[in-house]
Amino acid sequence: MDKFVVVIAETEQGQLTLPSLECVEEGRDVADQLGAQVHVMLCGNKVAPLAETLAAHGADRVTVVEHEALAQFSADGWMQALAPVLLQAPPALLLAPDSGQIRSWLPRLAVRWRSPLVGCCMRIGIIGDGYPEIMRSTHGGACQERLTWPYATLVCAMLIPGVRGIGTPQSGRIAETTVLRPQLDPAHFRDRTLHTLPADPRTVSLNEAERIVSGGFGTGGKDGMALVKQLADHLGAALGGTRVAADRGWLAVDRYIGSTGQIVAPKLYMAFGVSGADQHLSGITGSEIVIAINNDRTAPILKRADLGVVGDLHEILPILLSKLQALASTSNHSEPTTPTHFAVDPVEIAS
Ligand SMILES: Cc1cc2nc3c(=O)[nH]c(=O)nc-3n(C[C@H](O)[C@H](O)[C@H](O)COP(=O)(O)OP(=O)(O)OC[C@H]3O[C@@H](n4cnc5c(N)ncnc54)[C@H](O)[C@@H]3O)c2cc1C
């Protein structure tokens, strides 16, 4: 009988979420070790065309469960739609993003299967004759735990978004796709989504933030960090920083980034007065563009940066802020200014 690694994919505004694609790629790696296939389950309304993207990231099979009542998320709706399909053929391993939505229904399924459910997973592996091995983050990121189970135990694992990152999709890859349209009665859903609020970058979880502005010991204290925060607010970015800054009380402890803190994967990561210690850099490996401002041209972060500015942050930050303020006052719209909208003469670009 064929063995499957099942992946639950999620959508947001009609698009697959990046954490879902990370799970598909992680599932692909695990399936290759097990000699299994990757079977992705996707729930929603008119989401079948997304099967192509799932195939490009490693899916062998895609089961799409469609219904008008699934246009908006409902934990009961997802259970009604997916449980019958999943219970028919329990997989070798189930992977899903560690998201609020998944956490609202997957535990119920794990209870029915009497299978372990593991959150905050960072890496899934297979050891020995097919034993699942999971590395997960515990104690708010301060520790990592390695878990293994006996052969053939079905484990449901939820992956922390942003840890793995996604690779290049393979165009032309095809998955066997089945579209199911079950009879669902939304009147029996005990929960439903009324409307979805846009994420507030100031409070969004760092591992979901698209832009992060970080401050380190070089900010010199709470006043320097307040300037970094002002810049973050102007850019619609989340505030982050280093452990040293958090240890000194300049930053909330849940906002420091690194191997013992938050693992992030923003599109833009700006670092002010951050040296770039290994423990910090290991938390930003998934970042797309890194801009670092440091007055020491030998600081390791400048090697990682796509744009390095060698200069005093106490001179550069006020210039940036005044340019952004001027731009905001002339701008007609109230959208947060994106980094491409302003230009500052860099003091010196690191080579
Ligand atoms: C077990 C362990 C786990 C750790 N985990 C983490 C972790 O998860 N995350 C983490 O961040 N750290 C972690 N650390 C700490 C880490 O090793 C570094 O000490 C820390 O990241 C350094 O923080 P920093 O860059 O803010 O400070 P520093 O290393 O002191 O760097 C400050 C930088 O600011 C620059 N600077 C100073 N003044 C200015 C100015 N006026 N303008 C511009 N630049 C200026 C300096 O040139 C310097 O490069 C851990 C350490 C250990 C031992």
Side-chain angles (χ1 to χ4, degrees), residues 19-292:
S20 298
L21 297 177
E22 288 181 307
C23 286
V24 175
E25 293 193 1
E26 187 79 7
R28 175 76 270 153
D29 289 350
V30 174
D32 287 344
Q33 292 175 62
L34 280 173
Q37 294 192 24
V38 178
H39 186 174
V40 181
M41 306 268 175
L42 179 64
C43 236
N45 189 29
K46 299 181 184 159
V47 287
L50 300 175
E52 214 174 290
T53 310
L54 293 167
H57 284 271
D60 299 304
R61 280 193 193 186
V62 178
T63 296
V64 182
V65 187
E66 287 197 329
H67 193 284
E68 278 173 16
L70 301 174
Q72 297 287 340
F73 177 76
S74 150
D76 274 356
W78 258 237
M79 265 305 271
Q80 278 190 30
L82 285 177
V85 190
L86 286 164
L87 290 168
Q88 259 175 22
L93 185 80
L94 184 143
L95 297 182
D98 198 339
S99 71
Q101 293 188 355
I102 294 285
R103 280 184 176 238
S104 66
W105 67 269
L106 188 58
R108 293 193 236 163
L109 191 74
V111 167
R112 288 199 199 172
W113 270 331
R114 295 176 181 272
S115 78
L117 173 74
V118 191
C120 301
C121 299
M122 302 172 74
R123 214 170 44 247
I124 320 284
I126 298 296
I127 51 169
D129 291 336
Y131 295 74
E133 179 198 54
I134 293 182
M135 292 300 296
R136 69 183 290 261
S137 160
T138 66
H139 298 82
C143 303
Q144 288 183 10
E145 191 174 43
R146 174 178 165 270
L147 301 169
T148 60
W149 290 267
Y151 178 68
T153 301
L154 159 58
V155 178
C156 300
M158 298 185 290
L159 282 188
I160 306 177
V163 173
R164 183 193 161 93
I166 55 167
T168 314
Q170 290 176 37
S171 56
R173 235 183 142 272
I174 292 170
E176 184 187 325
T177 303
T178 311
V179 180
L180 303 175
R181 294 194 173 82
Q183 297 283 332
L184 297 178
D185 182 2
H188 286 104
F189 296 176
R190 288 166 300 173
D191 66 300
R192 69 206 151 94
T193 303
L194 299 179
H195 52 263
T196 308
L197 300 171
D200 180 346
R202 287 163 301 185
T203 52
V204 73
S205 159
L206 276 179
N207 53 30
E208 289 176 26
E210 290 206 339
R211 297 175 207 155
I212 296 175
V213 179
S214 259
F217 186 59
T219 57
K222 286 189 175 168
D223 291 346
M225 194 58 94
L227 285 178
V228 174
K229 180 162 183 337
Q230 271 186 45
L231 180 68
D233 290 346
H234 269 292
L235 298 177
L239 178 70
T242 63
R243 178 163 159 175
V244 169
D247 284 349
R248 277 166 178 70
W250 308 344
L251 180 77
V253 173
D254 63 354
R255 293 259 135 191
Y256 86 78
I257 294 161
S259 54
T260 54
Q262 304 291 326
I263 308 284
V264 301
K267 290 188 175 150
L268 173 71
Y269 185 77
M270 285 183 93
F272 288 84
V274 171
S275 59
D278 286 346
Q279 292 92 345
H280 185 76
L281 293 183
S282 64
I284 64 163
T285 49
S287 306
E288 272 179 36
I289 294 177
V290 175
I291 300 178

